Structure formats: structure tokens, C-alpha cells
Amino acid sequence: MPVDLQHTFAPATLRSLMEGLLVTLEVAASAIVLSFVFGIILGILRYTKLPVLSQLAVLYIEVMRNLPLLLIIFFGYFGLRDMGIELPVTMAAITGLTVFTSALIAEIVRSGLNSVEKGQIEAARAQGFTYSQTLWYIILPQGLKRMIPPLVSQFITLVKDTSLAVVISLEEIMHNAQIVYNKYVNATIPLLILVAFIYFTINYSLSRVSRYLEKRLAG
């Protein structure tokens, strides 16, 4: 079977892929920011073991970690629609990714906070720091430094997971590539290789940024 490079690199195809890439980046960036914020809040609540709030955080984290992301995306679009809440496709994708990833980030945050030596916490308390001051000035800054590698790894996973939103017809890069190779069958392999290269470029760049931040913070 001949490979169709003509339609793979046709201006219309490249334009469609770039439009899809912009949607992918919009969804990924929005979900990264939101899940980071909610993940930190959930992680701190679980770490502090506050009555009721900590238990609710644990319940949320455990439930979401043990559900497939695809199911959450489906529910955010089709399930809510049946309940009378109709979200735009982009918002449904962002919501599903945020709900799922927040739980994973919360565990990263909790692990990072737990990695801070108990001696430093006891020293801060001995110097008159309150629990909240110790958390804010001693535990959180050190914990965040140690969270960078797993956080970036999770963000890379999130970027790749945006492709799952193709099931609700989000016009991201995989959706647009699928439209092209359904029309030009011989362009399937080169198109998939091109999309894979785009994903690799984005995620490799993120990993390089992570290494740079680690070195700067270590110094």
C-alpha cells in the first residue's frame, strides 16, 4: 500500500492539525492550572487530617483514583446532559481531566509534604511557629521542590490524556487527524507519525523544563 504524503502535508491538513493542537493546548493548560490548584488544596487537607474535611478529601481522592478517566469524561458530557446540565465539549473535557488529575496531584502533594523531616517541623514549633505557619513557611516550600518531577510527569500524562476527549468529539489534534485519515486511508501512518512527533515535542519540552527547575532549586 503506497504511503500518501501528499495529503499528509497538504496545507489544509496541516492547518487542521494546528487548529486541533491549539484546542489540545487550551484544554491541557486549563486542566493543568485547575488540577494543580485543587490538587494542592486536597493534598493539604489530607495531610493536615482536619476532622471531616480530611475524610472528605480522602473519599474524593480514593474514588477518583480508582475510576477510569474515560468514564469521568463520558459522565461529564453525556451523564450531566441527561441530568439537565449541558456543558460545551471543551468545558466537559477540561472538567473531566481536572476532576481526575486533581486526585492524583493531591497524592503527590501529600507525599511531598510527608517527605519533609520531622525534626524541622519540631524545630519550627519549638521556636513558636503555629501549625499553619509551620505548614506555610517550612513544610510547603520544601515539599513543593520535591514534588516537581512527579508533578511534571503527571502534567505530561494529562497532555496525552487530552486525546481521550475524542470520544466526545472534542476537536483536538487526534480528532482532526482522524478526520483526515478516514478520508485518505493511505495517509494514516504518516499522519499518526506526525501527530506522535508533535506530542513528543510538547512533552519532551515539559520534561526539560522540569530538569531545569530542579537544578535551579537545588542550587
Side-chain angles (χ1 to χ4, degrees):
M1 181 183 294
V3 175
D4 188 350
L5 294 178
Q6 179 180 352
H7 288 106
T8 300
F9 295 100
T13 299
L14 296 178
R15 189 183 317 115
S16 178
L17 290 181
M18 288 305 102
E19 289 171 355
L21 176 60
L22 289 176
V23 174
T24 294
L25 294 176
E26 176 191 352
V27 170
S30 300
I32 284 172
V33 172
L34 292 172
S35 60
F36 180 67
V37 172
F38 291 128
I40 284 182
I41 293 171
L42 288 167
I44 290 175
L45 286 176
R46 183 164 189 179
Y47 174 80
T48 55
K49 297 181 173 58
L50 291 171
V52 183
L53 290 177
S54 179
Q55 294 169 347
L56 288 174
V58 170
L59 177 64
Y60 176 88
I61 292 166
E62 292 304 322
V63 169
M64 292 304 157
R65 285 176 62 206
N66 290 287
L67 291 178
L69 174 55
L70 194 58
L71 174 63
I72 295 172
I73 292 174
F74 263 120
F75 183 82
Y77 187 66
F78 297 109
L80 291 180
R81 186 177 64 183
D82 290 346
M83 295 166 61
I85 304 171
E86 190 159 355
L87 296 177
V89 173
T90 301
M91 185 59 66
I94 293 171
T95 301
L97 288 164
T98 299
V99 165
F100 181 76
T101 308
S102 294
L104 302 180
I105 290 178
E107 281 300 279
I108 294 172
V109 170
R110 183 178 70 90
S111 177
L113 298 179
N114 280 331
S115 70
V116 178
E117 293 77 9
K118 300 298 181 185
Q120 296 191 45
I121 299 172
E122 292 169 359
R125 298 303 298 275
Q127 292 179 20
F129 280 61
T130 64
Y131 183 79
S132 58
Q133 288 174 327
T134 303
L135 178 63
W136 185 257
Y137 294 110
I138 305 298
I139 303 173
L140 198 54
Q142 294 186 65
L144 281 172
K145 291 180 183 179
R146 300 170 188 181
M147 295 173 206
I148 289 176
L151 279 176
V152 173
S153 177
Q154 188 58 54
F155 294 153
I156 289 172
T157 299
L158 190 153
V159 172
K160 293 184 288 187
D161 284 345
T162 57
S163 62
L164 293 175
V166 71
V167 298
I168 57 173
S169 299
L170 177 70
E171 295 181 359
E172 44 77 58
I173 189 169
M174 276 302 300
H175 173 274
N176 290 3
Q178 190 175 29
I179 290 174
V180 176
Y181 66 65
N182 281 343
K183 188 175 181 181
Y184 306 107
V185 178
N186 292 352
T188 301
I189 292 176
L191 258 177
L192 291 177
I193 291 173
L194 178 57
V195 171
F197 175 76
I198 293 171
Y199 273 115
F200 172 80
T201 302
I202 295 169
N203 292 326
Y204 183 73
S205 299
L206 283 174
S207 67
R208 296 297 298 177
V209 169
S210 171
R211 291 172 194 170
Y212 172 76
L213 289 175
E214 281 185 79
K215 290 178 181 177
R216 284 294 301 271
L217 292 172

